[in-house]
Amino acid sequence: MKKAASIFIKTLINHNVDRFFCVPGESYLPVMDELISSKDIDVVSCRHEGGAGFMALADAKCTGKAGIAFVSRGPGATNVSIAVHSAHQGGIPMIIFIGQVNRKSIGKMHLQEIDFTKMFSDISKHVEQIINPEEIANVTAKAFKIAESGTPGPVVISIPSDVLDSKVLCSPQKRAEKIIAKSDIIDIRRVANEILIAKKPILVVGGHLQFLDYSKSQIKKIASKFLLPVLCTYEHQDLIDNDSVHYAGELGLRPPEPIKKNATEADLVLCIGHRLNGIPNLGYTFPSKKQKFIHVLPDGKDLENIFKTDHGIISDGNDFMEKLLKVKIKIVEKNRNKWIKTCNDRYKNNKSTQKPRSANDGMDFAHLIDKLGTLAPKNSIITNDAGNFTSWMHHRFPFKSSMKLLGSEIGAMGMGIPAGIAASIRYPNRMVFSLVGDGGALMTGSELATAVAKKAKLKIIVANNNHYGTIRYHQEVHYPNRNHYATNLVNPDFKNYAESFGVKGFKIETIDEIENVLKQAINEKGPVLIEFNMSLELNTSTTTLSELQ
């Protein structure tokens, strides 16, 4: 007989787990002990479970496979819950293993005990607590299958500490083949015909298409063959070259009005991969009842949940695109090319893409984004936190499909730095830029210690306006010209803060310094943090506080 913890680790290895993120806890000491003699799994010990969760989330976005985090009981589980919430709404495969109190203490309000099956039931695909030690391998294998099949999502497994210490007869489980839904040729021909007769069709992409470079090549081919403008959903604008004539913009937070027109003027909406939950549906106005809506998702659970669908197709997005490309069809180019050009012109020429503005209280973040766009290598990874500062990135950074964008689909602050660390560990030979605001930087900034420990080479850019800028935006919209005291922030000197961890620090206080500092940061061999003196008056890429008041 072997210890359950040993069977558990071997099952993880059988599922190609080579790394997990954690804050060590006494509730899963048997797992940590087993890993002393195993070199197959890299354990990334973090400074906060929130950071560990965001790293697992980002790792999943990088690989398309379940990101793994291990946390301890009540405090650890509640800390990691933001990442679980983000994975659930974003459709990201992730498995959280929680060390639970021992079995005799369950249900007795033991120290740090929570019923995790209740706590996580609304923000995960599946939650399970292992009571029988002999089930540890089966439950673990099932967790991977659920997390990665259909529309991906998070799975939470609670393991009592004495279960891990138990002796068992069961054997490690191997990875089961993922179930992939495939489209029917009748559906394919119907969609091709709908595209043919439409006057202003538009392709919307996102969701599980983000995981494979192959998806990006398929999107490019579909747009070219069927003469379609392409809208990317929130945090997914790396799915197509932004300098492509087919690119029509991003359905993100408060997109410029011309981008909204690209969505709302379409007569046919073909959405592949994304559930159109959350931000991309423009406040439940897109697609409208007047638009014909074709929705392609890898399982049927989310079809017609939010919008009436004229044609719902249960299929893996790549399988659907492969078969659609095989249909012999000829689109009339003249009118369709005019529509494509209109959409692309609206993306390139709107209020958010104009020349950088001037302010008396700092610099327009557009200056940095524009320069970064010219200097970033074509295979860069960009991670972003949440906040109004990201509007410049979303609206004017020239993403290439060879790049990768990692952000939280729920707009969770604290994602940027941990995501950059995970990406840098996963792809040590790629340049990683992490864009964060001063608010988010201090939510998970302690993970700079993790970056140094793991020799992560990310380049962090802190847009510092000494404010919770997004909240101030909403305050001025709803309660203008008030003394909005709560959003004022007292910040450290971020350059010195970074250097206290052993991270190279820079500070940009004038426009003339931007190019030189970025070049120095890119040439640095280790992690870098750049503090950018950002204007508060220039509150987003399209608005000012004065205008809002």
Side-chain angles (χ1 to χ4, degrees), residues 85-97:
H85 178 34
S86 186
H88 185 242
Q89 291 210 355
I92 311 300
M94 185 165 72
I95 304 175
I96 306 296
F97 293 103

Side-chain angles (χ1 to χ4, degrees), residues 224-389:
S224 178
K225 176 173 180 173
F226 291 92
L227 298 178
L228 296 170
V230 179
L231 283 168
C232 295
T233 52
Y234 182 52
E235 302 287 11
H236 298 150
Q237 61 263 46
D238 58 326
L239 288 176
I240 184 172
D241 291 340
N242 290 185
D243 59 2
S244 166
V245 69
H246 293 278
Y247 186 56
E250 180 227 15
L251 293 172
L253 282 166
R254 298 185 295 278
E257 287 301 320
I259 304 298
K260 290 182 181 179
K261 286 185 178 181
N262 288 344
T264 58
E265 287 184 6
D267 58 354
L268 171 68
V269 178
L270 170 59
C271 180
I272 305 175
H274 198 282
R275 292 171 287 186
L276 280 186
N277 58 309
I279 292 168
N281 61 44
L282 303 179
Y284 304 102
T285 64
F286 173 74
S288 70
K289 294 179 181 179
K290 295 179 180 179
Q291 295 172 302
K292 183 160 286 188
F293 182 36
I294 300 173
H295 206 177
V296 183
L297 290 174
D299 61 45
K301 183 171 66 72
D302 296 299
L303 289 172
E304 294 210 72
N305 264 8
I306 304 173
F307 298 98
K308 181 181 180 300
T309 305
D310 294 284
H311 193 35
I313 299 172
I314 301 172
S315 175
D316 171 74
N318 287 312
D319 179 80
F320 173 82
M321 289 189 286
E322 284 174 6
K323 292 174 180 174
L324 188 60
L325 285 168
K326 292 178 181 177
V327 176
K328 294 181 179 180
I329 197 169
K330 180 65 176 177
I331 307 292
V332 179
E333 295 187 13
K334 183 179 179 182
N335 292 336
R336 191 64 65 77
N337 281 335
K338 182 180 178 181
W339 167 237
I340 290 172
K341 186 177 186 304
T342 295
C343 290
N344 186 243
D345 285 346
R346 287 171 175 169
Y347 157 68
K348 292 190 295 186
N349 303 299
N350 62 71
K351 195 174 180 181
S352 72
T353 58
Q354 302 306 304
K355 290 182 180 180
R357 299 159 292 173
S358 298
N360 295 323
D361 64 340
M363 293 173 285
D364 190 337
F365 201 45
H367 287 293
L368 187 138
I369 291 297
D370 290 352
K371 186 56 64 176
L372 183 63
T374 65
L375 295 176
K378 300 305 180 187
N379 69 339
S380 294
I381 299 172
I382 311 294
T383 78
N384 69 276
D385 214 271
N388 275 0
F389 72 94

